Amino acid sequence: MADPQALQALTSHDWLGLIHPVLMILFVYPVVGATIRLGILAREKRLKINPIADTVPVEHAQHGAWVTGGVLVAVLIGLSHSLWNNHPLGLLLTGSAVLFSFRRLLSSRIVWQRLLWAAASAGGLLLLGLQPTVERFSDVPWSPLFWQSHFWMGLLLTGLLLSSTALQPLIGHSVTARRLHMSSNLLVALLLAMQAISGTRNLLLSGF
């Protein structure tokens, strides 16, 4: 049971830390569910199993972009909880660059340009995440703690979503791209489940 005195002791900084999981729960995960459903329908249309509307593949791609954008914003909010007090200017500048790169990714039509903008967006998140005030458990890939880190799993998740969004123009025309898309998104689904578990664990460890 929640302690009323503990609730009163929560600062504005503590409440900022709760925006990240709330955004994931209320927006990202529901849109992920809708994206998966639209993806199944788009596959059925391609295989001529289900004569659905031509707009469904487009809606699937749009929902995927919303998922990626939602995760980017959620990650930036999560990082701001650790960085705002010590690196406010760097957070604002780099965060703006991350969002600008993502917007350019969505507006570009050439795949190699989309991949470059995706890399720039992911690179900005990595730059912010490597600051000493960000909790990462471990930076050594062969350490068990590395694979329990909410940050590193989140960065991998974001990178997969960005790459999938960048390759979207190829998916409808290339079997290889579709197979890569499906494989990477199976890993995305696994990472989303792991992030839900590790994020809840981190909230418990932080005393919320």
Side-chain angles (χ1 to χ4, degrees):
M1 183 178 294
D3 182 358
Q5 293 184 345
L7 290 175
Q8 293 175 0
L10 289 176
T11 65
S12 57
H13 187 255
D14 295 328
W15 285 109
L16 175 63
L18 291 175
I19 296 176
H20 168 78
V22 168
L23 179 59
M24 293 296 294
I25 293 167
L26 294 183
F27 178 78
V28 172
Y29 282 94
V31 178
V32 165
T35 306
I36 292 172
R37 175 59 179 159
L38 288 168
I40 293 171
L41 290 175
R43 183 175 184 274
E44 290 177 351
K45 177 177 177 59
R46 186 173 61 252
L47 297 177
K48 299 182 179 179
I49 298 173
N50 190 349
I52 57 177
D54 294 336
T55 57
V56 169
V58 177
E59 292 174 358
H60 171 62
Q62 291 172 342
H63 278 66
W66 275 105
V67 170
T68 305
V71 169
L72 276 178
V73 172
V75 171
L76 287 172
I77 292 173
L79 290 171
S80 70
H81 183 252
S82 300
L83 297 172
W84 183 255
N85 289 334
N86 298 310
H87 307 283
L89 182 59
L91 174 65
L92 289 173
L93 292 176
T94 309
S96 298
V98 167
L99 296 177
F100 174 79
S101 298
F102 180 64
R103 184 175 180 180
R104 290 303 304 269
L105 185 164
L106 296 179
S107 63
S108 300
R109 292 294 175 261
I110 302 173
V111 172
W112 70 264
Q113 291 180 351
R114 292 170 68 93
L115 288 170
L116 283 179
W117 288 117
S121 192
L125 292 181
L126 178 62
L127 181 63
L128 290 174
L130 290 178
Q131 301 304 312
T133 53
V134 176
E135 184 181 80
R136 298 187 299 274
F137 284 4
S138 173
D139 294 332
V140 182
W142 51 86
S143 165
L145 284 176
F146 181 89
W147 300 102
Q148 299 175 48
S149 170
H150 189 70
F151 168 76
W152 286 117
M153 284 192 292
L155 189 66
L156 176 58
L157 168 66
T158 308
L160 288 171
L161 289 171
L162 283 167
S163 63
S164 185
T165 302
L167 293 173
Q168 188 274 326
L170 293 179
I171 293 171
H173 309 287
S174 168
V175 174
T176 301
R178 283 199 295 272
R179 289 174 178 171
L180 181 62
H181 176 68
M182 292 178 65
S183 300
S184 66
N185 281 285
L186 286 174
L187 182 54
V188 163
L190 176 62
L191 286 169
L192 283 168
M194 294 171 65
Q195 286 297 86
I197 295 169
S198 63
T200 304
R201 174 204 64 196
N202 287 4
L203 286 175
L204 290 173
L205 291 176
S206 66
F208 281 110

